[in-house]
Amino acid sequence: MTRRNSIVLTLLASAMLLSACANTVRGVGRDVGNTVDATGAAVNDVAR
């Protein structure tokens, strides 16, 4: 019974870690997109 409990706990912990990684990757994508937009706006301001 103890082995089964440790397997279940390991699976739950793994699922939580993977979901946290997905949120982090999504956030990095948004940050990169915002950086690209800000850089483009700065280039347009300098060009004028």
Side-chain angles (χ1 to χ4, degrees):
M1 193 65 141
T2 303
R3 181 173 169 87
R4 183 176 179 184
N5 286 342
S6 63
I7 291 171
V8 170
L9 287 175
T10 302
L11 289 173
L12 287 173
S14 298
M16 289 174 58
L17 287 172
L18 287 175
S19 67
C21 291
N23 289 334
T24 301
V25 169
R26 201 173 302 132
V28 168
R30 288 182 191 147
D31 291 343
V32 169
N34 290 337
T35 302
V36 169
D37 292 342
T39 303
V43 167
N44 288 335
D45 289 343
V46 170
R48 290 182 185 172

